[in-house]
Amino acid sequence: MKKQVVVIGLGRFGTSVCKELYRLGHEVLAIDTKVDRVDGIRDYSSHAVVANATDESELKSLGVRNFDHAIVAIGDNLQASVLCTLMLKEIGIAKVWVKARDLQHQKILEKVGADKVIQPENEMGIRVAQHMNSEKIIDY
Ligand code: ATP
């Protein structure tokens, strides 16, 4: 089923999530404060907008409340990430998934209502190690 997803923050992680969701046929609204990042995603999203996602009135005017999923991919700015997550939950987005840079960040995000917290580097490191481990077993 086609989902409506808002992706906030177009670093490597946010950009990759946005492109793949769009390729899979979902409606994706991409948001970043940086014009060049928004320009770069235009051909790989349904809508691409320059906006500050910590500004509640901007989020509301973009019709974010009509989306059922949100991905907050702001890793480095803890304050922006937490504030944005809190506002998206207050606006009523059912599923808010958020990128965290470390465990402390993850705990704060869970307290403010994030439905899923992802630590991409950490999770990918574990998967690579497990992959290598299973190859060793097969080789044996
Ligand atoms: P990655 O590791 O995924 O490449 P990054 O660590 O390089 O990410 P971050 O600093 O985590 O980059 O920010 C990701 C994106 O979020 C940046 O493009 C940044 O402009 C955007 N961003 C930061 N704050 C806001 C905000 N308040 N509203 C919208 N976008 C924001």
Side-chain angles (χ1 to χ4, degrees):
M1 207 180 82
K2 189 173 169 175
K3 296 182 196 299
Q4 291 182 302
V5 189
V6 52
V7 178
I8 295 169
L10 301 170
R12 286 162 301 174
F13 178 71
T15 296
S16 148
V17 171
C18 179
K19 284 184 175 176
E20 186 62 5
L21 284 169
Y22 184 65
R23 190 188 69 79
L24 292 167
H26 300 289
E27 182 183 346
V28 188
L29 166 62
I31 296 175
D32 202 289
T33 46
K34 292 181 181 150
V35 180
D36 56 332
R37 297 212 168 167
V38 172
D39 284 343
I41 205 79
R42 279 196 204 285
D43 293 341
Y44 309 96
S45 61
S46 317
H47 326 272
V49 182
V50 177
N52 178 3
T54 60
D55 184 329
E56 192 170 4
S57 59
E58 273 193 56
L59 283 182
K60 283 184 175 166
S61 71
L62 290 170
V64 162
R65 64 161 63 84
N66 300 318
F67 286 73
D68 25 56
H69 289 249
I71 309 277
V72 181
I74 304 170
D76 284 350
N77 186 339
L78 189 131
Q79 190 179 342
S81 154
V82 171
L83 194 55
C84 181
T85 302
L86 185 65
M87 282 186 318
L88 291 169
K89 286 314 291 180
E90 281 181 357
I91 287 171
I93 310 278
K95 288 183 184 158
V96 179
W97 293 9
V98 193
K99 173 187 159 174
R101 65 176 179 208
D102 55 31
L103 189 59
Q104 197 182 25
H105 188 180
Q106 172 160 0
K107 283 182 179 171
I108 298 167
L109 291 169
E110 284 165 353
K111 286 271 182 210
V112 299
D115 297 286
K116 184 177 171 71
V117 181
I118 307 132
Q119 288 188 52
E121 296 87 352
N122 194 19
E123 289 169 24
M124 189 50 78
I126 291 167
R127 284 183 59 182
V128 168
Q130 287 175 345
H131 190 167
M132 202 172 278
N133 182 54
S134 64
E135 275 194 344
K136 206 172 128 193
I137 291 165
I138 291 162
D139 285 351
Y140 182 76

